[in-house]
Amino acid sequence: MPDCFHPDEALKNEAIAQAMEGDFLGARQTAAKIATRQEFWEAWMSILYLQRDRGDVEGIKETILSCPNPSWLQGHSYAELARHFAKIGNKTAAIEIARLLGKSGAMMVVYLSAPVDLILKGDFAGAREAVAQVEDEQLRDRLNALVDTEEQIRSGPTQQSVL
């Protein structure tokens, strides 16, 4: 049986090729034509991860904002974009990307992981800044308490972390 032609797969491959060449606008325009969720997701994530690898925070933000179906921007993979920047110490980028992703389930990962990553680096001021972006007051209070506790433990004589 001959291989079937899959237009969405061809569009995905074209979008990824454009992104690899640095044509992110063209890649987004091509990916926006994809009808199937899986092919779209693979193309869009490839674009975002290439931008992440290049440290292109503004490009990531533009790609997120230009998504033709924002409901498809949910999941752990999207949260990893913000978490990546928290891990490398760029808390501003992490917070900006997390804000753009909205209140999806992925945001809980960002809300919890960004402050924890910063705590593990010993950046308590950065962790507090990340926590300040959390809209849910109860969660924000719990995260602030975690930052305070961890800072006290690390500054004490035994330095045993609760993380």
Side-chain angles (χ1 to χ4, degrees):
M1 176 176 223
D3 289 335
C4 295
F5 176 71
H6 298 286
D8 282 347
E9 185 176 355
L11 287 169
K12 173 190 77 174
N13 293 337
E14 182 182 344
I16 292 170
Q18 288 172 307
M20 290 179 75
E21 293 172 2
D23 179 10
F24 294 108
L25 177 60
R28 288 193 305 260
Q29 290 171 342
T30 300
K33 298 174 188 173
I34 298 172
T36 57
R37 184 180 179 129
Q38 183 62 35
E39 299 292 343
F40 174 85
W41 182 85
E42 289 175 17
W44 214 255
M45 285 309 303
S46 294
I47 295 166
L48 287 165
Y49 276 40
L50 282 165
Q51 289 174 310
R52 178 205 65 192
D53 293 346
R54 294 176 183 197
D56 183 6
V57 176
E58 290 304 313
I60 290 170
K61 292 175 0 182
E62 289 171 11
T63 299
I64 290 169
L65 289 171
S66 67
C67 181
N69 189 341
S71 71
W72 287 4
L73 291 178
Q74 297 183 4
H76 184 69
S77 297
Y78 290 103
E80 281 301 314
L81 291 168
R83 190 161 188 242
H84 165 80
F85 287 99
K87 281 183 176 181
I88 64 170
N90 188 342
K91 59 186 170 271
T92 302
I95 291 167
E96 289 174 356
I97 292 167
R99 276 187 175 158
L100 286 178
L101 290 171
K103 295 181 180 181
S104 69
M107 289 314 303
M108 290 308 290
V109 173
V110 173
Y111 283 154
L112 296 174
S113 66
V116 169
D117 289 338
L118 292 164
I119 288 169
L120 291 172
K121 290 182 121 188
D123 183 357
F124 299 105
R128 283 187 182 84
E129 187 178 331
V131 169
Q133 305 305 313
V134 176
E135 293 176 11
D136 181 293
E137 185 177 350
Q138 289 180 330
L139 179 58
R140 186 175 57 244
D141 290 345
R142 292 194 338 241
L143 289 171
N144 274 322
L146 175 65
V147 173
D148 292 343
T149 300
E150 193 63 24
E151 186 174 32
Q152 289 173 353
I153 289 170
R154 291 216 183 169
S155 64
T158 60
Q159 295 188 353
Q160 289 183 338
S161 172
V162 293
L163 299 177

